[in-house]
Amino acid sequence: MLSSPTVKTSLIFIAIALVGLVFADIAITAANPWKDLGRFFLGVITPDFFSTEGLATALLRTVAFAFVGVALGSISGFLLALVYRWMPVRILCAFVRAIHELFWALIFLQFFGFHPLTGVLAIAIPYAGIFAKVYSEILEEADPEPGRLLPPRTGVVSAFLYTKIPDCWVQLRTYTAYRLECGLRSSAILGFVGLPTLGFYLESAFSQGHYSDAGAMLILFYVLIATMPLWVKPKLLPVYIVGAPFFLGEGLPIVWSNVGRFFTQDIVPSPLRGEEGWTGMGAWLGDMFVNQAMPGIWNTVILTQVALVATGIIALLAFPLISTHFGGPVRRTSGHVFLVIMRSTPEYILAYILLQLWGPSMLPAVVALALHNGGIIGHLIGRQSSTIRLRPDAPTGLNRYTYELVPRVYRSFLAFLFYRWEIIMRETAILGILGIYTLGFYVDSAIQNIQFDRAMVLILITASLNIGVDILGRFIRRKLALQTMPTC
């Protein structure tokens, strides 16, 4: 068994994570964490749905930002998918999706301010890169046979519409609907940078210790996600998309002179704006790399690797909760509810909650990343395991789990895990805004100090790191011949 390439790869990543734990800042620094945790859970089971003014409006705007952002992202992504084979397009898409939505929001805030356009573009731009990649993969896998049966003079557009689209329609629709759920999570956390979505009110409730208010917001968000199949109907989508822009709110007017100043002055490196010129660029970049970029990269990589292995452990422990090979309908229903909560809670919100309860360290980030991503992978593997047919004399209990199911789903499990590797690193970087010393911490600090030139360089470094991990992940999947499937 140890000679298996998948097992060897797993052991290597476990060893890297264990080494990372030695250097990671894992601690609970709060004075009374268990008391605070108890108060939080008490707030969740005693929610106050009527104490926060504007909560209904915040939910409505959360949905509106998601619909507009995802709609623009999907349309742009589809058009980019048609020319995705061109190297410049692939590079552009890889770059825009490597930058987290919150980073995009922080950029647009500098010249659009608290305007709805900030939130819409923060979702639409990275989602366009994601949609382009996934849509192109779906279109490439379409059956080419119908195209060969068309008359010789059939136009390219007609051939595309009548052969590829019908063959791929179910996959395109399913992925777009799944990305809408991701869009709701992205929209919610935009409130943490001041936009009027759910995260804004959630942060206010936690900062004031109003746990019943926070519990009510989380429950409403879970209900919103869980009931999506009931209210997101194909016939209603045009109504939602047309109506959503009218519920974004007005915000502050855009000062277009700020846009010009941002591109012509703010993000131009300070030596080039001053008297030092190009001769001062080396010292400027060297100082930034030594004091900001390198510590940020180090902590981002450590946190990512520890969270990746923790995600795998949670996913392997969680998938039996919904598998038809374990327990009865009642336990599986409970498992579904538990996994819905895990995967529906954005990592950023969960990390913020745990930081308030446990104090600042990498521990809240590791737990948040592992629970969210482990819930997603556990759900997918649990559904896959339910399709496996066992022989009549198959063992039961722990032996069934260990010797029958885990070996049969392990390759798919690794495929999902390596697919989410880049996503985990992207989330790890952004968690720095909460005070963890990843790259996001230094980006946020630069923006707070009005050093937009430094912030842009650090964001470019973050994007490059994410692209590198994505390339490495695809290389490993290809080497191990792992089948990959797109997930949120």
Side-chain angles (χ1 to χ4, degrees):
M1 184 179 71
L2 294 177
S3 61
S4 168
T6 55
V7 174
K8 284 182 178 179
T9 303
S10 302
L11 292 176
I12 290 172
F13 274 81
I14 291 172
I16 294 172
L18 291 175
V19 173
L21 278 174
V22 176
F23 298 96
D25 176 23
I26 303 293
I28 296 178
T29 58
N32 200 336
W34 301 115
K35 181 180 179 181
D36 292 336
L37 194 61
R39 289 177 59 203
F40 168 68
F41 282 116
L42 180 63
V44 171
I45 62 176
T46 58
D48 189 347
F49 295 100
F50 304 102
S51 64
T52 304
E53 294 183 8
L55 181 55
T57 303
L59 280 171
L60 186 60
R61 285 180 175 169
T62 300
V63 174
F65 274 109
F67 268 102
V68 177
V70 173
L72 289 176
S74 63
I75 294 170
S76 304
F78 183 80
L79 295 176
L80 289 169
L82 301 180
V83 291
Y84 196 75
R85 63 184 180 277
W86 296 350
M87 181 62 71
V89 174
R90 290 204 302 272
I91 294 173
L92 172 66
C93 292
F95 175 75
V96 298
R97 69 173 180 264
I99 301 176
H100 193 277
E101 299 90 279
L102 277 185
F103 279 149
W104 283 112
L106 288 173
I107 293 171
F108 291 126
L109 276 173
Q110 308 315 313
F111 48 85
F112 289 151
F114 292 102
H115 191 275
L117 193 58
T118 294
V120 169
L121 292 179
I123 295 174
I125 290 178
Y127 276 42
I130 296 170
F131 274 122
K133 176 187 177 184
V134 176
Y135 282 170
S136 67
E137 291 174 353
I138 293 173
L139 292 172
E140 285 177 3
E141 294 173 359
D143 185 3
E145 190 60 30
R148 300 191 186 104
L149 302 177
L150 291 174
R153 294 184 179 180
T154 303
V156 175
V157 176
S158 298
F160 180 79
L161 293 176
Y162 287 101
T163 59
K164 282 206 170 185
I165 293 297
D167 187 55
C168 302
W169 178 249
V170 174
Q171 290 176 286
L172 293 171
R173 184 183 64 188
T174 301
Y175 183 75
T176 305
Y178 194 56
R179 182 52 58 179
L180 178 60
E181 179 183 331
C182 302
L184 286 170
R185 292 197 291 268
S186 298
S187 178
I189 66 173
L190 289 178
F192 284 86
V193 295
L195 293 172
T197 62
L198 189 65
F200 178 82
Y201 293 90
L202 189 63
E203 183 180 27
S204 299
F206 263 100
S207 63
Q208 299 173 54
H210 297 164
Y211 294 121
S212 292
D213 298 357
M217 296 176 204
L218 288 174
I219 290 172
L220 288 174
F221 187 67
Y222 295 144
V223 171
L224 185 71
I225 296 290
T227 59
M228 281 185 65
L230 301 178
W231 57 273
V232 181
K233 300 290 186 180
K235 292 182 180 179
L236 294 176
L237 279 178
V239 177
Y240 292 149
I241 293 172
V242 171
F246 296 99
F247 294 95
L248 295 174
E250 296 181 359
L252 300 175
I254 297 174
V255 181
W256 291 105
S257 60
N258 291 341
V259 178
R261 189 183 70 245
F262 181 81
F263 286 106
T264 59
Q265 298 182 35
D266 293 347
I267 63 174
V268 176
S270 58
L272 299 183
R273 282 183 274 136
E275 298 179 356
E276 298 170 294
W278 287 102
T279 57
M281 282 295 292
W284 183 77
L285 288 172
D287 174 71
M288 190 192 318
F289 270 88
V290 171
N291 296 310
Q292 296 177 322
M294 294 309 298
I297 292 171
W298 173 255
N299 288 320
T300 300
V301 171
I302 287 176
L303 182 51
T304 298
Q305 296 310 112
V306 174
L308 181 70
V309 172
T311 294
I313 293 171
I314 288 179
L316 290 175
L317 293 176
F319 86 81
L321 295 176
I322 63 170
S323 176
T324 56
H325 298 299
F326 302 96
V330 174
R331 205 190 79 154
R332 287 198 298 274
T333 301
S334 301
H336 274 291
V337 172
F338 180 66
L339 290 185
V340 164
I341 293 173
M342 286 174 63
R343 71 177 191 269
S344 298
T345 308
E347 303 100 312
Y348 192 90
I349 290 179
L350 186 54
Y352 175 81
I353 293 171
L354 294 176
L355 276 166
Q356 307 308 306
L357 301 175
W358 294 347
S361 80
M362 287 187 179
L363 181 60
V366 170
V367 173
L369 290 165
L371 286 176
H372 174 75
N373 292 283
I376 291 175
I377 299 175
H379 169 75
L380 296 170
I381 296 300
R383 287 197 311 179
Q384 181 178 335
S385 71
S386 297
T387 64
I388 296 175
R389 297 185 63 179
L390 300 178
R391 63 183 189 275
D393 62 338
T396 58
L398 184 61
N399 287 335
R400 170 175 293 185
Y401 171 84
T402 306
Y403 297 108
E404 285 288 333
L405 289 176
V406 169
R408 297 170 74 171
V409 301
Y410 198 75
R411 295 182 65 81
S412 296
F413 157 76
L414 281 183
F416 285 123
L417 190 62
F418 285 127
Y419 182 88
R420 292 206 67 84
W421 189 10
E422 181 264 340
I423 298 172
I424 291 172
M425 176 163 282
R426 201 166 64 105
E427 297 290 342
T428 297
I430 202 64
L431 290 179
I433 295 177
L434 296 176
I436 303 165
Y437 293 121
T438 62
L439 280 164
F441 173 83
Y442 297 99
V443 171
D444 188 54
S445 298
I447 290 175
Q448 295 298 325
N449 294 325
I450 319 180
Q451 297 175 322
F452 302 123
D453 51 348
R454 288 179 176 265
M456 291 304 296
V457 172
L458 292 169
I459 287 175
L460 290 175
I461 291 172
T462 304
S464 301
L465 191 63
N466 291 341
I467 292 171
V469 166
D470 184 38
I471 293 171
L472 181 58
R474 283 190 279 113
F475 173 78
I476 294 174
R477 293 198 303 266
R478 188 165 58 249
K479 275 290 184 180
L480 299 178
L482 301 177
Q483 182 181 3
T484 60
M485 300 175 222
T487 59
C488 179

